[in-house]
Amino acid sequence: MDNTYFFSAFGTFGNPNGFRQTFFLGGTKAIAQEMRTFDLKTDAIQLFPQSSIYSIRKDYAGGCNLISYSVYTFAKEQNSDRGGTFIGSSLLFVNKIATEGLIISALNDFQNILERNNLSDGIITVNHSDRFSIQKPKDFDKIGFNVREVDELNFSQSNNNYLVVYCETNPTQLQTFFNKAIDLLNIYDTIYFTQSHEIGEFVKQKGIFKIVDANGFKKELDYLEEERLRNLQNAIAELEKEKENLKDEKTKLLEDLNRQISLNEKQHQDNETKIKESKNGISIINKEYDQYSEKIKTIIRDLTADGKIETAKKRHQENKRLFTHTLHQHKNIEQLSPFSSSSNGRMQPAKDIQAYPHGLSGYHSSGRSQEKEFRVDGFKVATLILSLLLIGTLVLCCMWMPKEYLALFSQ
């Protein structure tokens, strides 16, 4: 079974089950577990007898981007007269969609079979969606041969905005509305279409969901186109600005790298291998900048031609990632420590010179201080020697002096 598309059947079953939905003809367990229900917010929009609602919706579940086309018709629950009850079906697509005419044909056929097999006098005959009796619609197998990619739609962002369009829902008109509504899913998570006057009045009175007629829907599309053009112009302007900034950035970076390489060549002649690697890195950087600039020009040209902003953003982000990765690998050039020669022939770091912050004058000043200190120490030694000689002379004089003079000194 092709899991690119599949059906969901759902309904309201009263106590004890309430609303239930089940996937048929494909789907995965991961999607089934994470998928939002197709239940209606009945305080905002509600079905009435002989009425129906179509919808288009985007989702992200099970790691997949999903777009679903649904139809709801009024149906009563067993043993209940509660209003707003319904039975419905949805055709879900994973990452791709089919042509709108084929979607509407298969969806209406599946819904008609669902109602025919599971309603009796407008009352649901089963108590759970798992018990629905369904059949494959006649155009089901054709869908797989008519799918296309969905561009410019952000599935990860949920706005919790809902739009109701009061309009004709015959297959011809609905095909046009479905086709144009895809782009509006960037603004609204779900868009409902109904030609029931009662449903339209109910939605208007409640004022929870925004409601417009066919002309209002066209205005929504016009506003979206104006916003898209503004975003397109801004995206092109940003790319142009980045392309211009690349020139200055390239010049400055290459100047810095060349200057650093020149210093390395002067100070580290023995490091020829590393210098060659650095020069090779510059060549790669130069080429990368030119190639990246050309890629931006290509994106601008494609963006101007097809106006696909999200596609351009994805391509640009991938180009930027590869550009940044290559730049990161080659732009870091090892800065080698500068050296200066000393008296012993060995190389000493230049920062050792900073021990004399005033240059040679500091060194000479230090030498004079040492000379002064030396001279002061010599004077002290001479004074000590003279003092000893004087003391010795006095001692000798005392030993040989006549007793008459000694007696005179002792008085």
Side-chain angles (χ1 to χ4, degrees), residues 252-310:
K252 184 180 183 302
L253 179 58
L254 293 180
E255 285 178 352
D256 291 343
L257 293 175
N258 279 312
R259 186 182 302 112
Q260 187 61 56
I261 288 174
S262 297
L263 291 174
N264 288 346
E265 287 178 327
K266 293 177 182 179
Q267 297 165 358
H268 304 276
Q269 293 298 325
D270 59 336
N271 206 8
E272 188 65 25
T273 302
K274 291 185 179 180
I275 292 175
K276 289 181 178 179
E277 292 175 352
S278 300
K279 288 183 176 180
N280 183 54
I282 284 185
S283 176
I284 293 174
I285 288 173
N286 193 16
K287 181 178 178 181
E288 283 297 316
Y289 268 95
D290 293 339
Q291 289 180 347
Y292 185 50
S293 180
E294 287 298 318
K295 289 179 181 178
I296 291 178
K297 289 171 62 178
T298 300
I299 292 176
I300 292 172
R301 184 175 63 252
D302 294 344
L303 187 56
T304 303
D306 59 21
K308 296 181 179 180
I309 300 175
E310 291 296 325

Side-chain angles (χ1 to χ4, degrees), residues 24 27-28 46 57 131 148 193 213 233 283 383 402:
F24 296 97
T28 65
Q46 190 176 112
R57 176 178 111 178
R131 299 184 179 181
R148 68 180 189 271
F193 302 89
D213 58 12
Q233 292 170 356
S283 176
T383 302

Side-chain angles (χ1 to χ4, degrees), residues 9 40 44 75 98 102 106 109 147 171 177 206 244 262 264 318 378 392:
L40 291 175
L102 188 57
D109 192 24
V147 293
F177 284 118
K206 292 299 181 180
E244 290 300 317
S262 297
N264 288 346
E318 178 60 16

Side-chain angles (χ1 to χ4, degrees), residues 126-329:
V126 296
N127 60 8
H128 197 291
S129 58
D130 288 348
R131 299 184 179 181
F132 275 146
S133 173
I134 64 101
Q135 294 175 9
K136 183 187 293 186
K138 60 182 179 181
D139 291 331
F140 184 78
D141 293 330
K142 294 181 182 179
I143 296 175
F145 300 101
N146 294 273
V147 293
R148 68 180 189 271
E149 298 286 344
V150 179
D151 296 324
E152 302 300 293
L153 191 56
N154 187 345
F155 287 88
S156 61
Q157 180 179 354
S158 177
N159 299 313
N160 291 319
N161 292 331
Y162 301 87
L163 179 67
V164 180
V165 182
Y166 177 57
C167 61
E168 294 185 28
T169 57
N170 60 72
T172 301
Q173 295 294 328
L174 192 61
Q175 181 176 345
T176 301
F177 284 118
F178 273 175
N179 179 267
K180 295 181 179 297
I182 287 289
D183 291 336
L184 284 175
L185 290 179
N186 277 323
I187 301 176
Y188 301 99
D189 289 341
T190 305
I191 303 173
Y192 298 100
F193 302 89
T194 183
Q195 62 183 23
S196 168
H197 180 74
E198 287 182 289
I199 295 176
E201 284 296 321
F202 181 88
V203 173
K204 184 177 179 181
Q205 290 176 7
K206 292 299 181 180
I208 298 174
F209 290 170
K210 183 176 181 179
I211 183 168
V212 297
D213 58 12
N215 289 329
F217 182 74
K218 183 178 181 302
K219 290 180 180 178
E220 291 283 330
L221 293 172
D222 291 341
Y223 172 79
L224 180 66
E225 179 63 16
E226 292 174 1
E227 186 69 17
R228 188 190 70 82
L229 288 176
R230 281 194 296 269
N231 292 335
L232 176 62
Q233 292 170 356
N234 291 336
I236 292 175
E238 289 179 2
L239 290 171
E240 290 282 5
K241 183 179 179 181
E242 182 175 351
K243 185 173 72 71
E244 290 300 317
N245 290 338
L246 282 174
K247 296 178 182 178
D248 295 336
E249 182 182 336
K250 171 185 172 182
T251 300
K252 184 180 183 302
L253 179 58
L254 293 180
E255 285 178 352
D256 291 343
L257 293 175
N258 279 312
R259 186 182 302 112
Q260 187 61 56
I261 288 174
S262 297
L263 291 174
N264 288 346
E265 287 178 327
K266 293 177 182 179
Q267 297 165 358
H268 304 276
Q269 293 298 325
D270 59 336
N271 206 8
E272 188 65 25
T273 302
K274 291 185 179 180
I275 292 175
K276 289 181 178 179
E277 292 175 352
S278 300
K279 288 183 176 180
N280 183 54
I282 284 185
S283 176
I284 293 174
I285 288 173
N286 193 16
K287 181 178 178 181
E288 283 297 316
Y289 268 95
D290 293 339
Q291 289 180 347
Y292 185 50
S293 180
E294 287 298 318
K295 289 179 181 178
I296 291 178
K297 289 171 62 178
T298 300
I299 292 176
I300 292 172
R301 184 175 63 252
D302 294 344
L303 187 56
T304 303
D306 59 21
K308 296 181 179 180
I309 300 175
E310 291 296 325
T311 302
K313 286 182 178 179
K314 292 177 183 177
R315 286 174 56 195
H316 179 57
Q317 289 300 322
E318 178 60 16
N319 291 340
K320 180 180 286 188
R321 184 187 68 80
L322 296 174
F323 170 69
T324 304
H325 176 71
T326 303
L327 217 61
H328 178 73
Q329 286 183 318

